[in-house]
Amino acid sequence: MLRSSIPRFTDRTDVFSWGRVRREPQRLAHPTFADQLSGLAVDATRPSRLATGLRRSYGDSCLNGPGLLIDMTGVDRFISFDRDTGRLVAEAGISLSHILQVVVPQGWFLPTTPGTRFVTLGGAVANDVHGKNHHRFGSMGCSVRSLGLISGDGARLTIGPNDRPDLFAATIGGLGLTGVIEWVELQLVRVGSAYLDVETIPYDNLGAFWALADESTVSHEHTVAWIDCMSRGARTGRGVFTRANWASDGAYTIHSDRTWKSMPLELPGFALNRLSVAAFNEFYFRLHKMKPRHQRQHYATYFYPLDAVLNWNRLYGRRGMMQYQCVVPPGSDRAVMGVLLDEISRSGQASFLAVLKTFGDVASPGLLSFPRPGATLALDFPNRGVETLALMARLDRIVADAGGALYPAKDGRMPADMFRRSFPDWQRFAGLKDPKMNSDFWRRVSLDD
């Protein structure tokens, strides 16, 4: 193929988001060079287009059924990397995994990282991802110094915090709706090792979690807790708290992407039920009670445990899964988390991947950024149709009454009124959205046909 040729859009029935709930056909093109992007952005065969990456978004924010998808994973090259300052410039389709393999041996790491390294750089910016160190470094957008954006009419723009700041604020966490992110300039952080000194602390209830969180945000860079969402009464919110700081031994061993495990098939829908998840949670909690409290862990083990199993989302069967991640503001978060967990436990709908963490007060730069001060709870639910949707609607009312919000990157069914209430800058964002960019998510929450 000639470098300047523009790839064609083709119909695909195998393009899903990570939750695998939405299964409508998509029309997708796979460019391999940045100079092909402008031509794809202005393709007139369908009314809208959207850039997509490795599709780790759970719901429908990376899908565009009536329009076109531009698969950015082939536009994945390094442009520059200053090993003295940690300033990285790379094409948007490069994965966080690829970046780490290059920068870690030089003593640098991502400023923050989500729970998978199989995310593109552009996707991380478009969703303004956060990590276990939010209380120290904020969200990914806080470390973006500039980026290249291709508008729906093919124009190439360079934007940053001081260069077209309104469009920059709309693009950070803007779900790809302001244009195609072509490249990103990112400030990395110095680390003294590829390993972390990790402390693992089983705890008995939510009260113990809050005490650990308050204490650990001062002493540790990374904090998070797995919780047993099936426990009730005096044990509500019991779990395993982990906190970590980077080691300083200069051992810059990189990870390998040659994963030795994979989910070969989708499990039967009945495999995950109240009994099986309760048994797993009990086993997991007791297992950590027997383990050493202090360990040295590689970054791949600490940050990305699920990446060890390729296609782990097949665990939830053909009907897929729905993730629910909310944030509840300070003042009401401690009471509301107990109410949410009680509602989930009483529903009997199982989730063995449940995570609780506190956010810090570092402001996110995006108009639609999810991270904000408070506590965030994330849970995976097997998709049981009406039953699961009814549970989530009940959780919505609890979160909304507390002034909380849901995470668009994880969402597949947030009602329009909750989106508008949770993201008060949405009208300002709508004025900056590119009219030729769209997604299934935006059509749903904006009521835009």
Side-chain angles (χ1 to χ4, degrees):
M1 181 177 63
L2 295 176
R3 181 183 172 90
S4 59
S5 63
I6 299 175
R8 293 182 177 180
F9 288 96
T10 58
D11 292 323
R12 298 276 295 272
T13 58
D14 59 344
V15 174
F16 311 118
S17 65
W18 193 242
R20 298 169 66 86
V21 172
R22 301 288 296 272
R23 291 176 177 266
E24 292 82 0
Q26 303 287 318
R27 192 164 177 80
L28 180 142
H30 186 84
T32 51
F33 295 104
D35 64 357
Q36 298 169 328
L37 295 176
S38 291
L40 291 172
V42 299
D43 187 289
T45 58
R46 291 203 181 190
S48 68
R49 59 225 55 148
L50 178 75
T52 184
L54 289 165
R55 291 188 288 280
R56 269 1 189 225
S57 297
Y58 283 67
D60 53 2
S61 63
C62 61
L63 300 176
N64 188 23
L68 305 168
L69 287 178
I70 302 172
D71 184 339
M72 295 292 292
T73 56
V75 187
D76 61 348
R77 298 165 184 82
F78 286 90
I79 297 174
S80 67
F81 171 51
D82 188 325
R83 66 183 64 189
D84 295 322
T85 66
R87 194 63 65 94
L88 168 76
V89 184
E91 292 180 336
I94 196 169
S95 70
L96 301 189
S97 184
H98 191 182
I99 291 173
L100 291 174
Q101 287 178 323
V102 172
V103 305
V104 167
Q106 310 301 323
W108 295 97
F109 203 80
L110 297 163
T112 190
T113 179
T116 174
R117 62 182 183 271
F118 299 128
V119 172
T120 63
L121 179 58
V125 172
N127 289 283
D128 198 14
V129 299
H130 60 272
K132 298 178 175 69
N133 62 348
H134 184 272
H135 56 284
R136 294 278 180 90
F137 291 95
S139 62
M140 178 67 82
C142 296
S143 298
V144 175
R145 298 296 174 256
S146 65
L147 59 85
L149 190 70
I150 301 177
S151 66
D153 59 8
R156 276 189 157 83
L157 308 172
T158 297
I159 61 176
N162 300 311
D163 189 0
R164 297 176 183 259
D166 285 350
L167 186 56
F168 181 75
T171 301
I172 301 296
L175 305 163
L177 295 168
T178 61
V180 176
I181 298 175
E182 179 183 1
W183 54 265
V184 176
E185 181 183 8
L186 186 69
Q187 178 60 54
L188 305 177
V189 296
R190 272 284 187 199
V191 293
S193 173
Y195 292 84
L196 299 103
D197 296 320
V198 180
E199 189 174 5
T200 305
I201 310 170
Y203 63 91
D204 293 328
N205 51 46
L206 274 179
F209 167 83
W210 297 116
L212 283 166
D214 290 344
E215 167 191 317
S216 304
T217 52
V218 177
S219 60
H220 290 77
E221 180 174 334
H222 304 279
T223 66
V224 73
W226 168 86
I227 59 171
D228 175 4
C229 68
M230 302 299 287
S231 60
R232 302 185 67 179
R235 300 193 306 173
T236 295
R238 74 167 181 171
V240 179
F241 194 97
T242 63
R243 55 190 185 186
N245 286 316
W246 287 101
S248 57
D249 55 15
Y252 294 114
T253 308
I254 62 171
H255 68 275
S256 170
D257 274 343
R258 292 187 297 175
T259 308
W260 61 277
K261 301 173 185 173
S262 178
M263 280 294 296
L265 299 169
E266 295 168 324
L267 288 188
F270 59 81
L272 291 180
N273 54 54
R274 185 186 185 105
L275 292 177
S276 64
V277 172
F280 170 85
N281 286 1
E282 186 69 29
F283 168 77
Y284 189 79
F285 183 75
R286 291 180 180 274
L287 177 68
H288 279 82
K289 275 202 161 185
M290 295 186 293
K291 283 187 171 181
R293 179 163 168 162
H294 296 272
Q295 298 180 72
R296 180 174 178 266
Q297 288 186 352
H298 190 262
Y299 68 80
T301 305
Y302 182 69
F303 291 119
Y304 314 116
L306 291 175
D307 285 348
V309 182
L310 290 178
N311 302 314
W312 63 264
N313 51 346
R314 293 178 178 173
L315 181 68
Y316 290 86
R318 179 169 175 74
R319 297 186 71 180
M321 63 168 166
M322 304 178 79
Q323 185 164 97
Y324 192 91
Q325 182 164 4
C326 64
V327 58
V328 178
S332 57
D333 51 357
R334 302 191 178 209
V336 169
M337 287 300 164
V339 175
L340 289 170
L341 289 171
D342 186 59
E343 182 64 44
I344 293 164
S345 180
R346 285 193 295 107
S347 77
Q349 297 204 49
S351 174
F352 65 88
L353 287 175
V355 174
L356 181 60
K357 177 179 164 46
T358 52
F359 282 143
D361 57 5
V362 180
S364 300
L367 297 179
L368 298 187
S369 291
F370 167 73
R372 62 197 71 181
T376 179
L377 175 67
L379 310 105
D380 290 346
F381 294 103
N383 175 27
R384 296 176 183 166
V386 173
E387 183 183 358
T388 304
L389 293 173
L391 168 62
M392 291 186 167
R394 297 196 295 276
L395 301 181
D396 283 353
R397 287 193 285 275
I398 298 169
V399 173
D401 289 346
L406 303 186
Y407 191 6
K410 304 291 183 67
D411 176 58
R413 33 67 52 197
M414 184 195 321
D417 60 341
M418 183 156 189
F419 168 75
R420 296 179 179 194
R421 181 161 42 172
S422 305
F423 296 91
D425 287 325
W426 77 270
Q427 286 181 304
R428 185 179 162 202
F429 173 84
L432 293 159
K433 173 187 170 293
D434 190 301
K436 295 181 180 177
M437 299 292 162
N438 216 335
S439 68
D440 291 349
F441 170 86
W442 184 251
R443 274 183 285 274
R444 172 163 51 82
V445 300
S446 69
L447 304 180
D448 179 8
D449 294 329

